[in-house]
Amino acid sequence: MSTIPSTRISFFIACLTITCTLFLPLRLASFTSIHPRLIEVDLLLARGELTEAVELLTAYYQEPADIQPLQIAWRLAQSHIYIADHLMYQGISDDRVEAAFDTAQEWLDVAMEIDDSQHFAYFWQAALIGQRGIYNGPLNSLATSGQMRDLLIKSAQMEPTAGYIYYTASFLYELLPRFFSFGDRDAAVSLARTGIMYHLKMVEDGLVVHDFQDNRLQLARALWHRDWDQERRRAEQAVKRDMLKQVADPFERAKLMEGIMEIPEMSDRQEALAILDQVQARLDYPDRLYADERDWEKLMQLRAAWQD
């Protein structure tokens, strides 16, 4: 599966790739290092070599080794969610997608049995629910969105500095309708900024194998859709700053985090376009990784949609 398909990216891939989409190599932020064998797996995933990653992980799980079984089990769930995502990216909608979902669920059950006190299985359960919901249609996605949100909140409470939780939540809050669900474009912006903040710390600590750009693209989308002018950004930031003084829950704080962050003196849409320029500069290199190629396509789609 290492070849980049040329088919059009689906709505799901363009808007709600959790792993979600997102080809994020996820880590517990408190880890001080990654096992060398798992670095190899993460690089395979980033290159889109999904079958090879599954084969390695399966072998590691079956043989006695010094890798924690939990780290293998949730990566096997992650890998099969990516396989389903890749099939959908190719425009495939058949039993192979459902089989990948089912296998991911089996490995999530294993991960939960190994250790239900860590956030990994809860986060990937949220990712699986989101992806399965989109695959089964908008009504199903809307019906399961509350369960997905609750799992993300639980994950954040268990591991408050895991940036990918907030990145994923930003997608959810941005895309859901505001009138008969919990969609909130303002919260989506703060969640995206929080996700980037923690992601950059993980990059700095060497806890991810590559600085992926999808989180920045999500911030640009959230900003574009919120569409505040500079004056309102400044006023609302002061409100959030005051509200944060009364909030302790990490997820609820993330929804207000913009209140204590440095934000550029410009409108939302000006910042969104500036982010696209920054992402393009980072992705403009030959022989891009599979994950970066996917982000490049999303970047070009956003430019086309916003060119007017």
Side-chain angles (χ1 to χ4, degrees):
M1 290 189 178
S2 58
T3 302
I4 306 296
S6 59
T7 53
R8 178 179 59 86
I9 302 181
S10 67
F11 173 81
F12 170 79
I13 298 303
C15 297
L16 187 56
T17 309
I18 293 175
T19 40
C20 168
T21 95
L22 37 213
F23 277 76
L24 292 175
L26 305 185
R27 302 285 170 274
L28 183 65
S30 58
F31 278 8
T32 57
S33 63
I34 309 169
H35 194 288
R37 291 187 180 185
L38 297 181
I39 291 176
E40 181 182 6
V41 169
D42 291 340
L43 288 170
L44 287 173
L45 292 174
R47 293 196 293 263
E49 298 173 17
L50 308 180
T51 301
E52 293 85 345
V54 168
E55 289 173 351
L56 271 182
L57 287 168
T58 303
Y60 295 159
Y61 191 79
Q62 292 172 345
E63 69 181 22
D66 57 346
I67 308 175
Q68 294 179 357
L70 175 64
Q71 297 298 313
I72 301 172
W74 70 254
R75 277 184 175 81
L76 278 162
Q78 172 194 26
S79 299
H80 284 91
I81 293 173
Y82 285 2
I83 288 171
D85 173 89
H86 181 81
L87 291 168
M88 294 162 69
Y89 176 59
Q90 292 180 306
I92 295 171
S93 177
D94 59 24
D95 291 345
R96 286 174 289 175
V97 178
E98 287 291 349
F101 285 151
D102 290 343
T103 304
Q105 185 61 64
E106 290 170 4
W107 281 110
L108 286 173
D109 293 341
V110 171
M112 193 68 73
E113 290 174 5
I114 293 172
D115 188 350
D116 64 358
S117 68
Q118 297 193 44
H119 78 287
F120 298 111
Y122 299 99
F123 172 78
W124 283 107
Q125 188 70 64
L128 179 58
I129 288 170
Q131 205 161 20
R132 221 167 192 163
I134 295 296
Y135 178 71
N136 290 326
L139 291 178
N140 184 275
S141 180
L142 186 61
T144 58
S145 60
Q147 184 182 6
M148 180 180 172
R149 175 201 56 196
D150 292 346
L151 286 164
L152 291 172
I153 292 172
K154 184 177 182 68
S155 299
Q157 291 168 342
M158 300 175 82
E159 183 52 49
T161 61
Y164 41 83
I165 296 170
Y166 308 110
Y167 157 81
T168 303
S170 177
F171 273 114
L172 187 63
Y173 276 73
E174 178 207 341
L175 291 173
L176 285 173
R178 289 171 286 176
F179 301 109
F180 52 90
S181 186
F182 55 87
D184 186 335
R185 289 176 175 175
D186 182 28
V189 171
S190 274
L191 286 163
R193 292 195 194 278
T194 304
I196 292 172
M197 177 181 71
Y198 287 129
H199 168 74
L200 291 176
K201 182 64 169 66
M202 295 172 76
V203 171
E204 179 184 339
D205 292 343
L207 298 177
V208 293
V209 297
H210 183 63
D211 184 11
F212 297 93
Q213 300 301 306
D214 206 21
N215 47 21
R216 295 175 177 90
L217 291 175
Q218 170 54 24
L219 174 58
R221 278 189 292 261
L223 286 164
W224 188 268
H225 293 141
R226 189 178 68 171
D227 193 18
W228 286 356
D229 61 24
Q230 181 177 332
E231 183 177 350
R232 185 173 180 186
R233 278 159 62 103
R234 189 182 300 115
E236 295 285 350
Q237 187 177 30
V239 173
K240 292 188 183 78
R241 186 180 302 116
D242 288 340
M243 292 175 67
L244 272 169
K245 297 173 184 177
Q246 310 299 322
V247 178
D249 179 82
F251 192 87
E252 292 303 314
R253 287 186 62 82
K255 289 162 62 178
L256 299 167
M257 195 64 75
E258 193 176 38
I260 56 173
M261 290 182 168
E262 270 191 50
I263 60 174
E265 290 292 324
M266 58 181 67
S267 72
D268 279 352
R269 291 199 166 183
Q270 287 172 331
E271 186 182 0
L273 292 172
I275 290 170
L276 293 194
D277 290 340
Q278 295 163 9
V279 170
Q280 183 163 345
R282 292 186 176 103
L283 293 179
D284 192 10
Y285 69 90
D287 300 321
R288 282 184 287 268
L289 288 174
Y290 173 72
D292 284 348
E293 184 66 23
R294 293 278 295 271
D295 285 343
W296 180 268
E297 293 184 13
K298 295 173 195 174
L299 168 68
M300 293 299 108
Q301 285 191 334
L302 292 177
R303 284 212 182 277
W306 299 349
Q307 64 183 355
D308 295 333

